[in-house]
Amino acid sequence: MHPFTYAKAADMREALNAGWRGGRYVAGGTTLVDLMRETVERPDVLVDISSLPLREVVVTGRGGLRIGALVRMAEAAAHPKVRVLYPVISEALELSASAQLRNMATIGGNIMQRTRCTYFRDVTAACNKREPGSGCAALHGYNRSHAILGTSDHCVATHPSDVAVAFAALEATVHVLGPDGERRIAFADFLLRPGSTPNREQALRKGELITAVEIPAHARPLKSGYLKVRDRQSYEFALTSAAVALHVSGGVIREAKVAAGGVGTVPWKLPAVERHLIGERPSDRLWAEAAEHAADGARPLTHNGFKPELLKRTVERQLRTVGGTK
Amino acid sequence: MSTELPAEAETSSVEPPPAPTRRTFIATTTAAGGVAVVGGLVAGPPALAVEEAVADEVPPGSRVSLTVNGVRHTVTIDNRTSLLDLLREHLDLTGSKKGCNAGACGACTVLVDGRRVNSCLTLAVRLEGAEVTTIEGLAKGGQLHPLQQAFIEQDAFQCGFCTSGQIVSGVGCIQEGHTGSRAEIREWMSGNLCRCGCYVKIERAVEQAAAGRKG
Ligand SMILES: Cc1cc2nc3c(=O)[nH]c(=O)nc-3n(C[C@H](O)[C@H](O)[C@H](O)COP(=O)(O)OP(=O)(O)OC[C@H]3O[C@@H](n4cnc5c(N)ncnc54)[C@H](O)[C@@H]3O)c2cc1C
Ligand code: FES
Ligand code: FES
């Protein structure tokens, strides 16, 4: 591990000042410390933000939610308001990592977590994300777990977060604070596709701190849930996953929010699936037809040719679980 | 183990060598540096002195005071030291094991302020004032913790390497109340791998201790 100085920020100002000077924020440390040990990350200065007042879960407007950046995954998942208003968020969180990690890791850190691509984690391998211009060992290497959507010739790594898939589906907003003040970034614009600059992963500017993730109030009644498919039953990243939220009234689907995980370089919103559902009546046939669009545009690699079909079935099953059948 | 230590233990790290504390935030005020604060936000050049970073050979270290199994320790450590290494290498508490050193096995599980965490991914320098409980701290007055006893009664281990992590994690799991069914125990204990495959018996041991607590 590269040596670093450590300081705990007593308030937002201290944190922002240190961040602006190039200090690296550390929240739960479960991504950062791990990658520092692998020397993938080599910050000179760690800024401990764990004392900052970003720990609240607040209900906003008519059933929206604002989750503070430092709310731990375990706390967010167990929060009564989260469980009632957006089960898809609790479920995505409780299907993530382990109880121990969820006791440490935060919501802000979670959406900032870096890919689990083994070539990214191996400093001797070519990786454009870690070392721009060095190439992508995954493109023609072992790429079973890699992305089929949003990839480029420069990078095919997935974004590994589960709750980010729920945030993408629900069209969340990321609240950030920086030297120039406060900004709100639509979740769809927050995580960046690799393109030719896979080393740029988020829309954050220098020194900016995430303060919260806000979920807008969606029409109610709203049913929602998260399905995760993986190589083992627990404590494993997704091969595919689906976050689904449906507002059905008068027997007709009025709103459909659907996104997929484990398949994209960023959490993958599925507007074609959503469009297919709106204005229709729930039925097994509808779920199957809508899910046919889940892998539109997919570009499988050598070892993940199973993912498009698995993705469609994952989405279909989760549509049925959330939307029921006649 | 821990009872043999003096109540106020002053320990210094052996490797890497002690280094001066560099809490760069201390005694630094933002206002003095001409930072304009607008609506609680910072504008203009920040004044915090973080450029003190990593220059000389001695790796940056810090002094931290924490309580481990009821005993207060003040240690000077390299900032890179994990809680797991602090326990094992500096405090002679080798019950917590290092399996993967990457958050992926649970062998290093300890309680920090009552919550189960992976000590391998916890930087010790962040634990000022924290209360840590390790496997060595579970027995009270020569009595094994009910979950330790249950592990023996259920024969819930073979090689034993994962066991201390399993037991501490199980204590956390029971406290959290995630023991409503075998399936729930399995899911909420999934952060602890057992290469010997003792899962069924581990499940039973946690179930037994949880039932004992209720009864
Ligand atoms: C074995 C293992 C299994 C896992 N399985 C899963 C899984 O199944 N699903 C899943 O979703 N995740 C999984 N994870 C990842 C885990 O959820 C993340 O590591 C965690 O959420 C990161 O949060 P943290 O608070 O620990 O972040 P940190 O490690 O503290 O920080 C991560 C990054 O975010 C930055 N950062 C943190 N907070 C802020 C902020 N407020 N503003 C700006 N920048 C910030 C840091 O500078 C750093 O770059 C797993 C991790 C491990 C080790
Ligand atoms: S050693 Fe900490 S989780 Fe494996
Ligand atoms: S008893 Fe051997 S690893 Fe669990």
Side-chain angles (χ1 to χ4, degrees):
Chain A
M1 202 185 285
H2 186 73
F4 59 88
T5 59
Y6 166 84
K8 190 165 192 160
D11 55 33
M12 303 288 275
R13 245 189 305 168
E14 277 193 358
L16 288 173
N17 282 336
W20 196 86
R21 292 260 169 146
R24 188 66 177 274
Y25 300 131
V26 61
T30 62
T31 284
L32 194 54
V33 174
D34 179 32
L35 290 175
M36 283 165 64
R37 189 167 286 138
E38 299 298 328
T39 69
V40 170
E41 298 268 21
R42 288 188 287 275
D44 291 327
V45 178
L46 271 201
V47 183
D48 188 337
I49 59 173
S50 60
S51 303
L52 301 184
L54 303 172
R55 289 223 114 94
E56 274 185 354
V57 178
V58 182
V59 177
T60 60
R62 296 164 66 178
L65 273 182
R66 196 173 62 239
I67 307 176
L70 289 173
V71 176
R72 292 194 183 92
M73 289 170 75
E75 295 163 346
H79 197 283
K81 294 295 180 197
V82 178
R83 293 186 92 82
V84 169
L85 293 173
Y86 291 106
V88 63
I89 294 176
S90 317
E91 290 174 19
L93 286 167
E94 287 189 349
L95 292 169
S96 300
S98 66
Q100 290 95 316
L101 289 161
R102 297 193 298 268
N103 277 341
M104 305 169 72
T106 64
I107 292 295
N110 186 287
I111 61 173
M112 292 290 291
Q113 70 176 289
R114 307 197 68 188
T115 184
R116 306 298 292 195
C117 172
T118 49
Y119 301 106
F120 170 75
R121 291 174 62 83
D122 172 2
V123 290
T124 66
C127 174
N128 289 321
K129 197 183 261 308
R130 178 168 31 75
E131 212 180 310
S134 63
C136 172
L139 208 50
H140 302 291
Y142 188 63
N143 47 36
R144 179 171 177 274
S145 66
H146 288 71
I148 53 173
L149 291 157
T151 55
S152 74
D153 292 344
H154 303 272
C155 183
V156 293
T158 54
H159 191 278
S161 167
D162 290 294
V163 78
V165 180
F167 291 157
L170 297 170
E171 291 148 15
T173 307
V174 182
H175 293 221
V176 308
L177 189 59
D180 302 327
E182 215 173 346
R183 296 203 288 147
R184 291 170 181 221
I185 308 170
F187 205 77
D189 301 326
F190 181 73
L191 295 173
L192 308 179
R193 298 187 198 186
S196 56
T197 53
N199 53 312
R200 289 212 57 221
E201 296 176 340
Q202 305 90 14
L204 286 186
R205 297 182 193 140
K206 188 179 172 195
E208 276 184 333
L209 182 74
I210 301 169
T211 55
V213 175
E214 178 153 1
I215 320 299
H218 287 284
R220 300 211 169 251
L222 190 80
K223 286 187 170 175
S224 72
Y226 188 73
L227 173 64
K228 183 172 179 184
V229 178
R230 37 194 167 169
D231 280 330
R232 62 180 182 201
Q233 207 175 347
S234 187
Y235 199 14
E236 184 56 277
F237 290 93
L239 285 172
T240 59
S241 72
V244 170
L246 298 174
H247 166 54
V248 182
S249 102
V252 174
I253 300 169
R254 310 283 176 186
E255 271 197 54
K257 304 292 173 195
V258 186
V263 289
T265 50
V266 295
W268 205 255
K269 183 84 157 141
L270 295 170
V273 174
E274 295 174 348
R275 276 195 303 274
H276 200 91
L277 295 168
I278 303 228
E280 303 293 332
R281 291 178 176 273
S283 74
D284 281 338
R285 201 169 130 201
L286 180 70
W287 308 141
E289 284 171 3
E292 262 311 302
H293 296 286
D296 284 1
R299 298 199 322 176
L301 304 161
T302 329
H303 304 106
N304 66 10
F306 65 93
K307 278 201 176 183
E309 185 58 30
L310 186 60
L311 173 60
K312 289 181 203 172
R313 294 185 192 192
T314 306
V315 170
E316 181 185 342
R317 185 167 133 194
Q318 192 55 11
L319 286 172
R320 185 177 303 117
T321 301
V322 172
T325 50
K326 293 211 165 157
Chain B
M1 278 242 162
S2 57
T3 45
E4 290 160 22
L5 289 165
E8 271 289 335
E10 171 91 15
T11 320
S12 272
S13 64
V14 250
E15 182 247 348
T21 305
R22 302 193 190 195
R23 299 271 166 104
T24 52
F25 287 148
I26 291 170
T28 317
T29 64
T30 45
V35 175
V37 180
V38 188
L41 309 177
V42 180
L48 264 177
V50 288
E51 62 268 19
E52 204 193 330
V54 204
D56 23 39
E57 288 97 69
V58 189
S62 306
R63 173 187 285 249
V64 57
S65 292
L66 73 171
T67 304
V68 180
N69 301 331
V71 181
R72 184 132 176 121
H73 296 272
T74 299
V75 292
T76 302
I77 44 162
D78 184 312
N79 287 342
R80 295 171 290 183
T81 313
S82 67
L83 172 58
L84 180 60
D85 284 343
L86 174 69
L87 294 170
R88 292 181 54 85
E89 310 295 334
H90 301 241
L91 303 183
D92 250 350
L93 294 169
T94 54
S96 308
K97 300 298 184 219
K98 187 183 284 187
C100 64
N101 214 20
C105 77
C108 65
T109 303
V110 301
L111 304 178
V112 172
D113 295 329
R115 283 189 316 266
R116 48 177 167 160
V117 300
N118 305 89
S119 62
C120 68
L121 291 185
T122 303
L123 292 172
V125 64
R126 304 184 68 187
L127 295 180
E128 182 61 42
E131 302 260 354
V132 177
T133 305
T134 69
I135 187 73
E136 290 92 340
L138 289 183
K140 290 278 177 299
Q143 275 292 103
L144 288 182
H145 184 281
L147 187 56
Q148 290 177 305
Q149 190 60 44
F151 263 67
I152 293 169
E153 286 168 20
Q154 296 292 345
D155 190 21
F157 43 82
Q158 286 180 46
C159 77
F161 194 80
C162 73
T163 309
S164 47
Q166 299 279 4
I167 291 176
V168 177
S169 185
V171 169
C173 184
I174 292 168
Q175 275 168 13
E176 293 160 14
H178 290 298
T179 55
S181 65
R182 287 266 174 98
E184 189 179 8
I185 294 171
R186 266 203 299 281
E187 173 58 30
W188 287 81
M189 287 296 291
S190 74
N192 294 80
L193 304 190
C194 174
R195 293 305 282 257
C196 300
C198 301
Y199 295 111
V200 175
K201 292 177 173 182
I202 292 168
E203 224 173 277
R204 282 191 202 140
V206 174
E207 190 180 38
Q208 176 184 323
R213 200 167 105 123
K214 273 178 229 137

